[in-house]
Amino acid sequence: ASCQTDLTLVSERKPKGLSCWGCMTASGQTSSASKKTEEMRNKQSKKKAAARGVFGDTENMKEKARRALIRLQYNVQDCYHETGIIQKIAKHPMFDNVTLAMILLNACWMAFDLDLNEADMLYEADPIFQVVENLFCTYFSCELLIRFSAFKLKSNSLRDFWFMFDSVLVLLMVLETWVLTIYMMSSNPKSSSDLSKVAILRLVMVVKMLRISRMARLLRSVPELVSLIKGIKAASRPVVVFFVMWIIIVYIYAFVFRQLSPPDSMYFSSMPEAINSLLLNGLLPDHAVLVNNATRENWVFWPLMLTFVSLAVLTLMNMLVGVLVEVVGALAVTEKEGMTVSYLSGELRRIFEDRQLDAEMPLTQLEFKKLVVDPDAAFVIESVGVDVAQLVDLAHNLFEDLSKAGEIGFSFECLVELILNMRGTNPAKVNDMKVIKAIM
């Protein structure tokens, strides 16, 4: 017998291909009434956002997520050809998995190359570095060419963010690996000026730093990491606001300390020194030595280190604490529920044995009423938060539904689940409202 009624939502599936940007634009525009409704919702959301200030509004975030997911979702594969070997390769999961593996290997290789390759240009490096760089450049170029060839309308590739993102990275990689190498090898080193060499070396350095941004595709492939990125985005406003408040307080106190300190003070000899001392030694003492030592090497490291600390320590570490609290709370609820189920099931089986009831046979209505009014059973049922009187009152309706389904009684598993579902601490659901309406 079924222990509970499931509410099944049936929705019509949209024809394949409607989520393509080109198809979406060709399928028609939204009506003026819908646009006005959407504008009114956006205005209301902005008013709510302005009213809540720094702190997030859970209901507003849920509403935005719900409205975003109700809309037709974009899938780049719907823009591909429906036949042909190229589209089959581009749509195959193995193609994405191999690309992600190559991105991970390329990121690890970049660290290896940064530490061990002392050559400024690729053609001056050892053969192993030249071979590996050319292999990576060849694979990513072919991967991008396959994705571009799979598009049914080539103009749709310009609307896909990740295709354009990868196109820029591959273009920079080709520029560094092939174009600049050919140019430097074909030009006369003696005739080229030192200024042009410096400019090329700076370009190569920038290109190498930008190539690490390909790791963003790895983040997109893991849903948990996407959730963390969204959490960082949602927490960015409170973090910036509090950081600005810290800066204001630090500036005020730095001005006071600078005014009261002698010119040769160790920490407050100037306003920048006073601000740096209060900010690092006062607010971030665990990172003060690292930031100061890095700043002595290059002043650019000071804002970079502060950005790293605020993002990785202040934001992510506190998010980790919140996630751990959430996990421990969910685990505690699960363990408590498991203990309740184990206690109720064990006690009811003991009562069944004492009353010579067979737990493998269905429990009839008469046996059910005798059981719930039994002192030992009533004590066990009430100990899990169920009102025995209400359970007796609902017995007629419960067994009437069973008789309509052709069943003569409850199995032991359904009895335990029925008692657990009748607890007063359970949240009300749509199915509960339907049951109440049927009873009334």
Side-chain angles (χ1 to χ4, degrees):
S2 177
C3 301
Q4 63 181 13
T5 305
D6 295 327
L7 183 61
T8 306
L9 301 176
V10 180
S11 60
E12 295 182 359
R13 186 176 180 180
K14 297 292 183 183
K16 185 177 181 182
L18 284 182
S19 57
C20 172
W21 284 104
C23 302
M24 288 172 66
T25 54
S27 62
Q29 297 179 346
T30 310
S31 63
S32 59
S34 300
K35 288 183 178 180
K36 290 181 179 179
T37 304
E38 189 69 21
E39 290 177 359
M40 292 176 62
R41 286 181 178 177
N42 291 335
K43 290 181 180 179
Q44 291 177 358
S45 300
K46 290 180 180 179
K47 289 181 180 179
K48 290 180 180 179
R52 75 175 185 267
V54 177
F55 306 101
D57 186 356
T58 306
E59 293 300 324
N60 187 50
M61 294 172 67
K62 286 182 180 179
E63 183 181 353
K64 285 184 178 180
R66 189 185 302 115
R67 276 187 285 155
L69 293 174
I70 286 175
R71 299 191 190 99
L72 198 60
Q73 298 298 304
Y74 170 72
N75 186 3
V76 66
Q77 292 187 1
D78 293 331
C79 299
Y80 291 167
H81 288 285
E82 297 181 0
T83 58
I85 186 65
I86 297 297
Q87 62 86 27
K88 187 176 293 186
I89 295 175
K91 292 180 179 179
H92 202 282
M94 184 62 69
F95 180 71
D96 291 334
N97 294 333
V98 172
T99 301
L100 292 176
M102 292 296 291
I103 292 174
L104 183 60
L105 289 175
N106 181 245
C108 297
W109 173 258
M110 288 176 64
F112 181 79
D113 177 84
L114 185 64
D115 289 338
L116 300 181
N117 186 11
E118 298 180 355
D120 294 328
M121 298 297 297
L122 182 62
Y123 70 92
E124 298 174 348
D126 293 336
I128 181 62
F129 295 102
Q130 299 181 23
V131 171
V132 175
E133 286 292 339
N134 279 276
L135 287 176
F136 279 123
C137 189
T138 302
Y139 176 82
F140 288 124
S141 300
C142 294
E143 185 257 349
L144 190 70
L145 182 61
I146 291 173
R147 289 164 59 189
F148 179 75
S149 302
F151 277 98
K152 190 174 184 180
L153 295 175
K154 306 307 178 185
S155 59
N156 287 331
S157 62
L158 302 177
R159 299 185 178 97
D160 186 73
F161 170 79
W162 288 107
F163 182 83
M164 296 303 299
F165 177 80
D166 292 336
S167 299
V168 173
L169 293 182
V170 171
L171 180 62
L172 293 175
M173 195 172 189
V174 170
L175 178 65
E176 176 199 359
T177 308
W178 293 336
V179 176
L180 290 180
T181 300
I182 295 174
Y183 171 76
M184 294 298 293
M185 292 181 65
S186 60
S187 63
N188 187 3
K190 297 181 180 179
S191 62
S192 58
S193 61
D194 294 337
L195 184 60
S196 62
K197 290 182 179 179
V198 172
I200 291 175
L201 292 178
R202 287 182 177 178
L203 178 61
V204 171
M205 182 177 63
V206 172
V207 168
K208 286 185 177 180
M209 288 191 294
L210 290 176
R211 279 170 54 186
I212 198 65
S213 60
R214 188 178 277 114
M215 294 286 289
R217 286 189 61 181
L218 290 177
L219 300 179
R220 186 188 61 166
S221 63
V222 183
E224 291 80 4
L225 295 179
V226 175
S227 299
L228 285 179
I229 296 297
K230 292 181 179 179
I232 293 175
K233 180 181 177 181
S236 60
R237 178 181 172 85
V239 170
V240 170
V241 170
F242 279 104
F243 197 79
V244 170
M245 189 63 189
W246 286 339
I247 294 297
I248 294 174
I249 295 175
V250 166
Y251 183 83
I252 294 174
Y253 277 87
F255 184 85
V256 174
F257 283 119
R258 177 66 186 91
Q259 188 73 23
L260 300 176
S261 301
D264 57 347
S265 175
M266 180 182 297
Y267 299 107
F268 312 110
S269 59
S270 63
M271 278 297 295
E273 185 69 24
I275 293 174
N276 186 70
S277 299
L278 291 177
L279 183 62
L280 296 180
N281 296 302
L283 293 177
L284 306 170
D286 295 335
H287 312 282
V289 177
L290 175 62
V291 176
N292 288 326
N293 292 338
T295 306
R296 292 189 186 98
E297 298 180 5
N298 193 337
W299 66 269
V300 179
F301 290 160
W302 191 88
L304 290 177
M305 289 298 298
L306 283 186
T307 305
F308 168 77
V309 170
S310 61
L311 183 62
V313 179
L314 298 180
T315 304
L316 271 181
M317 290 302 294
N318 285 289
M319 287 177 63
L320 175 61
V321 173
V323 170
L324 291 178
V325 170
E326 186 73 20
V327 170
V328 171
L331 183 61
V333 172
T334 304
E335 290 296 325
K336 185 178 179 180
E337 180 70 11
M339 294 173 61
T340 302
V341 174
S342 178
Y343 165 75
L344 178 62
S345 177
E347 290 297 317
L348 287 180
R349 288 188 181 276
R350 180 185 62 79
I351 293 173
F352 267 54
E353 293 178 358
D354 293 343
R355 305 301 183 269
Q356 297 182 352
L357 295 174
D358 190 358
E360 303 297 329
M361 297 297 295
L363 192 67
T364 63
Q365 184 174 358
L366 180 60
E367 293 173 337
F368 176 79
K369 289 184 176 180
K370 288 182 179 180
L371 177 67
V372 295
V373 297
D374 183 273
D376 292 341
F379 175 79
V380 173
I381 293 173
E382 288 184 348
S383 64
V384 296
V386 178
D387 190 343
V388 177
Q390 291 185 359
L391 190 60
V392 175
D393 293 339
L394 290 174
H396 176 72
N397 301 93
L398 295 173
F399 280 90
E400 184 179 359
D401 294 337
L402 284 177
S403 62
K404 292 180 180 179
E407 302 291 337
I408 61 174
F410 283 109
S411 64
F412 181 81
E413 290 78 10
C414 288
L415 175 64
V416 174
E417 188 171 349
L418 172 65
I419 296 174
L420 293 173
N421 291 336
M422 291 292 292
R423 288 177 293 180
T425 56
N426 292 340
K429 300 179 180 178
V430 176
N431 191 47
D432 299 328
M433 302 302 296
K434 291 177 62 178
V435 172
I436 292 175
K437 185 178 180 180
I439 295 174
M440 295 175 63

